[in-house]
């Protein structure tokens, strides 16, 4: 895994953490937080901080540190969680999200100085905290240079140990004090140095690896064999350390053992005294807290005899671990916390490969069924079993790609907060069905249209507080986001309780823009749908909220690209509801299988409005070879699919075949002429350009139950090019 | 050394696990991963390991809780366990030691220091 990939994981985690924190704070705001909620928020911010430090995002790290410190105060109940504080935390979360974005996109970090001051001001010890809140840059400790790392990792063997012990014969005191080429360090590991998996011999080897030589080993405390307890520390050493090795490098080695292995440095120092437990006493000795090696002065030759020997009687000290153990860490998650399901991360490519294969399996199963049918073996148990299993596998595979829509919904509170500050409209949010699952790709591509619809609802739908009060409504508007599964598709509703669509204004605007004729007779629904027309905008002044050059037509296109539809219901004075109907997955679509001459083709069901066998009088010629279909008083062009794809023996008289009325993006409605409708079923889309090349009018291919390949029509381009060929005549 | 040092890393952050994995495997260590204390306990019940490196703040079972459980049993009483901490204050060190940690690694860690810390405790 490359560092870039690891960073990629980090940013995915950031998004998850931000969503978790957002959710937690939303619970706090709603007053439904549980004991672990603050913990979860803290962990989320803490986790971002950890990664930020690891990857060197300093601004992000500095911000999360202050944020985390305040959250820690909240967690420890040092600061009450007031509504004001929750709002502050929410704002901090927004800035945190910006920091993450800036880090990911190597952009400029957001301006956070004022907010940092606010956060610091809210801390438990606002004045004193200001200093402590300095970012935890790693302490600039020189890392010990290892000349010979292998030396450190060699096996634990007795010979080596004996060599270590007998490294040098005891020498003259006076000579030792001179120590001509190096300085002295004296040490004595106590029993505690062997506790918790510690191993003093490794520390001595590390010292040797720095170039130190053993000058003296104090064996005076070693008892007779009968009294010998292998768990005690009887030995003390003096090592000569080369001058070019710093004191801090040596202290680093003994960092982990603390006062379980006191060290003393400098010529005046001696080997620290022994600290032997009574035999058979408690097996562990607790470290007496903070009776540590005194911080050494800068100049090493004058280092004081700097060892404070913990004099605490062992009995007293032994009581301590029990207390500590029963209280491992304040604020740590209680082990009884609800266990989230375990998960693994899978490369999307692998998953898509699986889903693709499952698609093939479904087809193979259908082929087998058809084959058996032609062989006259229609109903047998094995086939039914296989069918059931195939369906189960398909559903499971799809559900792996599925994610709860809550991940999209969780971004909405922030959008609303931003809108509230820019428009002055405060909006309550109601979420329904956040756990509804749908395909990951659909979720990812849903964010943009959904955001636009929400901005639109707040900007155009919900009235200003004073207008709402005048209309007898509450001052705050309500936006409802609801998701549910319905017959194999997912329905998402975005409903506001605002003023509803002002149809007179929409119509006037559409006429002014030349989108409809002034005398056109339009139903309410037709008028509502005008807002999806390209280039339409009713805002009296273009605001920076919804007037970003992106119209509702783009929203509709986005939804359509996902194989979905969008519909509007609006009631004047009561509000507007947009309903998005989306497929659960992009890998499998619903299609109508049609026969055109010698061709079998698939028309994606998302385009189909209705299908009909026309009365001869409903089809009228227009010019030489152009025909229009009268659909309840409206004329739409008839497009012969047979001509478009060059099929042989296709029916070319509309009243002899079937007309399928389709919706298209650029050319309005059209009626596709086909011979007959053969079937309606789900199909797996195989891209054509990966196997062949892109073909106009063809969206891809699929394999039918009998093993034949059928092309999937791209209705938009097919109709657009057919209409363009029709001598520039437009549908009325 | 005669055989590869096996390390279990315990962290709820996948990127932190990946960083540890990257730094340690590149130095020839054999690395296994767990995403919290509970998963680590399950893994350790079935597998042998030379050193455990654990984050402190984790959902379900945190690092100190994990150490406490490991030290309470026979198999891992003397297992070297390093904790990942964001602070290097004496107070934190004392707490880590009294919780049963063999040593600590200060985050953000320098890969060299990480490896040095592991070698310092690997029996």
């Amino acid at each position: 895994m490359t560092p870039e990939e690891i960073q990629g994981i980090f940013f995915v985690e950031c998004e998850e953490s931000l969503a978790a924190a957002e959710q937690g704070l939303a619970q706090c705001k709603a007053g439904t937080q549980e004991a672990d909620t603050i913990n979860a928020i803290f962990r989320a911010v803490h986790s971002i901080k950890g990664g930020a430090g690891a990857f060197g995002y300093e601004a992000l790290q500095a911000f999360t540190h202050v944020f985390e410190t305040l959250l820690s105060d909240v967690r420890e109940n040092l600061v009450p969680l007031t509504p004001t504080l929750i709002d502050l935390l929410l704002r901090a979360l927004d800035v945190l999200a910006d920091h993450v974005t800036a880090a990911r996109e190597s952009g400029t970090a957001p301006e956070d100085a004022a907010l940092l001051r606010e956060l610091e001001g809210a801390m438990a010890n606002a004045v004193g905290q200001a200093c402590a809140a300095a970012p935890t840059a790693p302490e600039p400790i020189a890392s010990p240079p290892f000349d010979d790392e292998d030396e450190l990792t060699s096996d634990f063997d007795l010979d080596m140990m004996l060599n270590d012990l007998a490294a040098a014969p005891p020498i003259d005191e006076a000579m030792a004090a001179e120590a001509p080429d190096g300085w002295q360090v004296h040490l004595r590991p106590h029993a505690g140095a062997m506790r918790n998996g510690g191993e003093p011999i490794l520390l001595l080897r590390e010292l040797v690896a720095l170039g130190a030589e053993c000058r003296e080993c104090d064996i005076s405390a070693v008892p007779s064999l009968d009294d010998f307890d292998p768990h005690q520390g009887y030995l003390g050493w003096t090592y000569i350390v080369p001058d070019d090795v710093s004191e801090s490098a040596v202290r680093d080695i003994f960092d982990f053992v603390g006062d379980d292995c006191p060290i003393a440095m400098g010529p005046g120092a001696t080997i620290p005294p022994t600290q032997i437990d009574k035999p058979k006493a408690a097996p562990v000795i607790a470290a007496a807290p903070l009776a540590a090696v005194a911080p050494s002065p800068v100049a090493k030759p004058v280092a004081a005899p700097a060892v404070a020997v913990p004099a605490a009687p062992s009995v007293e000290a032994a009581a301590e671990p029990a207390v500590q153990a029963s209280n491992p860490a304040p604020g740590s998650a209680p082990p009884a916390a609800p266990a989230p399901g375990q998960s693994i991360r899978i490369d999307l490519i692998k998953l898509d490969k699986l889903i693709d294969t499952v698609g093939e399996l479904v087809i193979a199963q259908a082929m087998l069924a058809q084959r058996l049918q032609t062989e006259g073996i229609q109903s047998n148990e094995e086939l039914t079993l296989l069918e059931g299993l195939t369906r189960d596998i398909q559903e499971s595979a799809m559900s792996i790609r599925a994610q709860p829509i809550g991940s999209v919904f969780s971004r909405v509170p922030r959008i609303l907060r931003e809108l509230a500050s820019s428009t002055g409209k405060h909006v309550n949010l109601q979420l329904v069905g956040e756990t509804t699952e749908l395909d990951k790709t659909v979720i990812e591509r849903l964010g943009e249209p959904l955001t636009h619809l929400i901005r639109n609802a707040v900007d155009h739908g919900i009235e200003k507080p004073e207008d709402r009060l005048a209309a007898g409504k509450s001052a705050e508007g309500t936006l409802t986001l609801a998701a549910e599964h319905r017959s194999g598709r997912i329905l998402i509703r975005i409903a506001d309780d605002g003023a509803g669509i002002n149809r007179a204004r929409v119509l006037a605007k559409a006429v002014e823009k030349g989108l409809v004729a002034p005398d056109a007779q339009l139903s309410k629904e037709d008028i509502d749908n005008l807002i999806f027309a390209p280039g339409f905008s009713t805002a009296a002044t273009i605001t920076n909220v919804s007037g970003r050059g992106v119209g509702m037509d783009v929203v509709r296109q986005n939804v359509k690209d996902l194989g979905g539809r969008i519909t509007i219901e609006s009631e004047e004075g009561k509000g507007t509801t947009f309903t998005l109907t989306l497929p659960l997955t992009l890998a499998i679509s619903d299609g109508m299988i049609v026969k055109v001459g010698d061709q079998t083709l698939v028309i994606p069901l998302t385009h189909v409005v209705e299908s009909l066998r026309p009365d001869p009088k409903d089809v009228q010629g227009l010019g030489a070879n152009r025909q229009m279909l009268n659909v309840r008083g409206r004329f739409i062009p008839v497009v012969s699919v047979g001509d478009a794809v060059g099929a042989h023996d296709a029916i070319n008289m509309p009243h002899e075949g079937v007309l399928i009325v389709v919706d298209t993006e650029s050319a309005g409605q059209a009626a596709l002429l086909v011979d007959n409708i053969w079937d309606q079923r789900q199909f797996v889309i195989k891209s054509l350009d990966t196997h062949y090349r892109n073909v106009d009018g063809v969206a891809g291919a699929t394999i039918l139950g009998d093993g034949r390949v059928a092309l999937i029509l791209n209705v938009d381009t097919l109709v657009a090019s057919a209409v363009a060929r029709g001598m520039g005549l437009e549908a009325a | 050394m005669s055989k590869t040092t096996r390390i279990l890393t315990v962290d709820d952050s996948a990127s932190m696990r990946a960083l540890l994995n990257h730094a340690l495997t590149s130095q020839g260590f054999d690395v296994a991963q767990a995403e919290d204390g509970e998963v680590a306990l399950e893994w350790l019940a079935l597998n042998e390991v030379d050193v455990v490196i654990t984050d402190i703040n984790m959902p379900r079972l945190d690092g100190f809780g994990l150490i406490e459980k490991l030290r309470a049993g026979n198999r891992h009483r003397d297992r070297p366990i390093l904790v990942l901490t964001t602070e290097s204050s004496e107070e934190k060190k004392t707490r880590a030691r009294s919780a049963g940690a063999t040593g600590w690694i200060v985050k953000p860690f320098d890969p060299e220091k990480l490896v040095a810390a592991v070698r310092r405790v690997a029996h």
Side-chain angles (χ1 to χ4, degrees), chain A residues 1 13 42-43 53-54 139 141 146 149 153 155 192 196-197 202 206 252-253 255-256 260 325 328-329 332 335 339, chain B residues 1-2 13-15 19 22 57 60 62 64 68 71 78 88 93 97 100-104 108 113 116 119-120 122-123:
Chain A
M1 195 177 275
E13 261 169 22
F42 177 86
R43 264 202 310 275
E139 285 180 5
I141 303 166
F146 291 116
E149 297 198 348
T153 55
D155 253 352
N196 289 342
L202 293 170
E206 200 169 328
D252 261 3
I253 296 176
D255 185 31
F256 291 169
D260 283 330
S332 63
Chain B
M1 75 187 64
S2 58
S13 153
S15 62
L19 276 178
H22 187 69
N57 217 312
R60 303 217 292 169
D62 70 2
F64 289 148
E68 187 189 337
R71 295 288 185 233
D78 295 322
S88 56
K93 290 179 185 176
R97 263 191 82 63
T102 315
W104 41 82
K113 278 196 175 184
R119 293 200 166 135
R120 186 168 297 158
H123 291 187

Side-chain angles (χ1 to χ4, degrees), chain A residues 518-598:
Chain A
D519 56 349
Q521 292 297 309
L522 298 176
S523 65
K524 283 181 181 177
E525 289 71 30
D526 290 337
I527 298 174
D528 291 347
N529 278 303
L530 283 172
I531 65 168
F532 290 121
F536 186 91
S537 165
T538 56
T541 55
I542 289 191
T543 65
N544 67 347
V545 178
S546 51
R548 287 185 172 177
V550 186
M552 294 291 280
D553 56 320
V554 177
V555 172
R556 184 165 70 164
Q557 187 56 46
N558 286 341
V559 173
K560 227 169 183 171
D561 289 347
L562 288 170
R565 284 164 168 277
I566 181 165
T567 54
I568 319 175
E569 286 168 69
S570 182
E571 197 174 337
E572 196 116 23
K574 293 273 180 65
T576 308
T577 301
F578 289 92
T579 305
L580 276 63
T581 316
L582 294 164
L584 291 178
T585 167
L586 293 182
I588 292 186
S589 306
D590 285 310
M592 201 177 254
I593 300 173
V594 296
K595 286 278 195 187
V596 181
D598 56 350

Side-chain angles (χ1 to χ4, degrees), chain A residues 590-672:
Chain A
D590 285 310
M592 201 177 254
I593 300 173
V594 296
K595 286 278 195 187
V596 181
D598 56 350
Q599 300 265 342
T600 305
L601 300 163
V602 180
I603 298 174
L605 215 52
T606 52
H607 290 279
V608 176
V609 180
E610 60 179 323
S611 59
L612 48 95
R613 284 189 178 277
D615 225 43
K617 66 175 168 44
D618 286 338
V619 182
Q620 300 190 354
L622 191 66
N625 47 10
R626 194 159 163 75
Q627 290 172 314
M628 302 297 283
L629 172 71
N630 181 349
V631 186
R632 291 177 283 278
R634 224 154 32 94
F635 283 92
I636 60 173
V638 174
V639 175
S640 166
V641 176
D643 286 355
V645 302
H648 296 289
D649 308 321
I651 291 171
N652 51 21
M653 297 302 289
H655 60 271
E656 289 171 8
V658 176
L659 288 176
I660 298 169
V661 178
V662 293
D663 250 337
T664 69
E665 194 43 49
S666 53
Q669 289 196 342
L672 300 181

